[in-house]
Amino acid sequence: MEKILVTGGCGFIGSNFIRLLLQKDLPWDIVNFDLLTYAGNLANLKDWQNHPRLKFFKGDIADRQAVDQVFSQGITRVVHFAAESHVDRSILDSGPFIRTNVVGTQVLLDSARSHKVTKFVHVSTDEVYGSLGDSGFFTEETPLAPNSPYSASKAASDLIVRSYVHTFHFPAVITRCSNNYGPYQFPEKLIPLFISNLCRNEPVPVYGDGLNVRDWIHVEDHCKGILAVLEKGQPGEVYNLGGKSERTNMELTKALLQSLGKPDSLIRYVKDRPGHDRRYAIDCSKAEKELGWQPQWVFENGLQETVRWYLDNPEWVNSIRTGDYLRYYQTQYGNS
Ligand code: NAD
Ligand code: TYD
């Protein structure tokens, strides 16, 4: 039986990915290894935590001993999500980003290599390519030009992965995806933050002129792309994944206001994020051609479904607002 290690499986995308694997009933054992930082929430997999093919281990990807212990359980493939992921936090303090995203990835790679894994999917971001002007798209050949400490730490990890492929013939594949949205996203990112503020009739902070552009992909489409890469991706290759749904932040904000029936007076233009990238746009034709994958969600439908999910799960958002989710581990697993 294949044993898949998923790092960061208690975060937004990792938990959606594990749910996809279990729903598909693939014949794989899954090991979820997560440090449960502020962004990790066991409740993201609440309905699945007793599944016989899912095991959880709390640990740090930068801790070689803990990582070796997990690999020695017979891990055959890895999907590496664990990261510090929020740009604004990286501007306040880049330290944890370098430690987890760079050192953590290197530690994982060394352990994975010595345990002879057959596939390592490194989940990265389109932000490593930097910022675009009004036209053009990022392809896999676009030079890396990260602008924030977050994207620089991800680009560094991508380069370390690349060097292991080149030097050791290590079977790694890199994915670079655009902005995700959907259920279980931590309410510090634009969409869940704005939904949860608007539900409370609180204002929403739009950075700068609100005309920065992001390409939005439903997390389910991203996870299906990662699964396609896990199954069919060629070692050493990079695959861009995107949602083909570019929107300005203002278009998105207006859509959320309309969907929740809230007035434009709740919009607050605030000081811009330092170094704020203007536009991201992804050319994902390589993944479409070579993996037979393509994004399925129509953005407006996906956004509606996402708003519905947050309205239907107020206790999930509230537990984060009150900090109760951080205590969930103790109630389920005792003291760490
Ligand atoms: P997230 O912040 O929601 O979750 C990160 C998870 O990693 C959390 O569960 C956290 O506890 C865990 N983690 C953090 N540090 C760890 C450590 N040292 N050891 C073990 N676990 C640790 O992030 P996300 O949005 O789910 O993103 C997952 C991955 O996808 C990241 O690598 C990110 O760069 C990439 N990505 C995200 C997006 C996006 O729009 N969110 C887009 C493209 C790529
Ligand atoms: P975010 O969700 O942080 O993702 P990223 O910076 O990785 O793309 O932000 C998405 C866009 O929304 C980005 O242009 C910054 C902007 N933004 C705001 O205008 N206000 C906010 O409160 C946040 C969190 C983001």
Side-chain angles (χ1 to χ4, degrees):
M1 172 93 81
E2 284 258 16
K3 206 175 238 191
I4 312 282
L5 172 65
V6 177
T7 69
C10 294
F12 164 47
I13 307 175
S15 63
N16 276 285
F17 182 74
I18 289 177
R19 195 172 305 105
L20 175 72
L21 294 188
L22 294 174
Q23 276 166 350
K24 278 189 166 284
D25 207 21
L26 296 164
W28 298 340
D29 284 335
I30 303 165
V31 174
N32 174 11
F33 186 70
D34 195 300
L35 185 57
L36 295 178
T37 67
Y38 81 93
N41 188 346
L42 276 171
N44 291 358
L45 286 166
K46 202 170 169 185
D47 297 341
W48 297 92
Q49 68 185 10
N50 295 321
H51 194 285
R53 290 212 303 272
L54 176 64
K55 295 274 169 300
F56 172 68
F57 291 96
K58 185 178 175 190
D60 185 347
I61 57 164
D63 174 349
R64 177 71 195 249
Q65 220 183 340
V67 168
D68 275 343
Q69 222 170 2
V70 168
F71 272 106
S72 65
Q73 296 175 20
I75 300 297
T76 48
R77 290 194 259 184
V78 180
V79 184
H80 175 33
F81 294 95
E84 288 291 338
S85 68
H86 191 43
V87 173
D88 293 324
R89 285 179 188 259
S90 80
I91 294 168
L92 292 172
D93 180 7
S94 62
F97 288 73
I98 305 304
R99 185 174 183 281
T100 288
N101 302 359
V102 184
V103 178
T105 299
Q106 173 254 317
V107 168
L108 265 186
L109 286 168
D110 279 341
S111 190
R113 198 165 81 81
S114 69
H115 288 90
K116 302 194 170 23
V117 302
T118 58
K119 192 79 159 279
F120 186 107
V121 179
H122 177 64
V123 180
S124 190
T125 165
D126 61 354
E127 302 193 26
V128 298
Y129 296 122
S131 185
L132 289 166
D134 290 339
S135 61
F137 295 88
F138 297 134
T139 72
E140 289 82 358
E141 311 306 322
T142 303
L144 303 191
N147 289 318
S148 72
Y150 161 65
S151 55
S153 68
K154 291 295 292 187
S157 67
D158 287 18
L159 292 177
I160 296 167
V161 171
R162 181 191 143 90
S163 77
Y164 275 56
V165 170
H166 186 83
T167 308
F168 305 117
H169 304 292
F170 182 72
V173 190
I174 296 175
T175 62
R176 297 191 179 129
C177 188
S178 59
N179 284 60
N180 285 221
Y181 68 95
Y184 300 100
Q185 186 168 28
F186 195 84
E188 64 182 353
K189 305 275 169 48
L190 180 73
I191 291 180
L193 176 73
F194 281 21
I195 296 173
S196 73
N197 282 13
L198 292 174
C199 286
R200 291 168 172 73
N201 295 314
E202 288 169 10
V204 290
V206 173
Y207 298 163
D209 61 8
L211 297 180
N212 301 68
V213 174
R214 297 292 183 264
D215 167 46
W216 294 95
I217 182 171
H218 194 284
V219 65
E220 198 177 280
D221 280 334
H222 184 192
C223 290
K224 286 180 178 167
I226 292 168
L227 182 55
V229 171
L230 181 64
E231 291 184 311
K232 296 183 249 175
Q234 291 303 309
E237 292 296 316
V238 175
Y239 297 92
N240 282 352
L241 302 171
K244 299 182 174 176
S245 300
E246 285 183 55
R247 298 288 183 281
T248 65
N249 291 340
M250 191 40 70
E251 284 169 334
L252 186 47
T253 305
K254 290 269 171 80
L256 290 172
L257 286 164
Q258 200 188 11
S259 164
L260 288 157
K262 303 292 177 182
D264 285 6
S265 56
L266 286 172
I267 298 173
R268 294 285 182 282
Y269 287 95
V270 299
K271 196 162 165 277
D272 208 356
R273 169 189 281 171
H276 196 174
D277 283 337
R278 194 62 172 170
R279 175 169 167 261
Y280 301 144
I282 273 271
D283 175 344
C284 56
S285 53
K286 177 178 172 181
E288 290 181 325
K289 278 197 215 97
E290 295 185 14
L291 307 174
W293 165 90
Q294 54 181 25
Q296 301 292 323
W297 277 93
V298 172
F299 180 67
E300 282 64 33
N301 299 344
L303 195 64
Q304 264 325 107
E305 183 258 14
T306 301
V307 168
R308 187 76 260 151
W309 187 87
Y310 282 91
L311 291 175
D312 289 346
N313 291 278
E315 70 295 340
W316 184 87
V317 177
N318 288 340
S319 78
I320 289 171
R321 287 205 167 219
T322 57
D324 278 351
Y325 76 107
L326 295 168
R327 289 180 276 284
Y328 189 76
Y329 181 76
Q330 268 81 34
T331 61
Q332 297 300 310
Y333 294 88
N335 288 319
S336 52

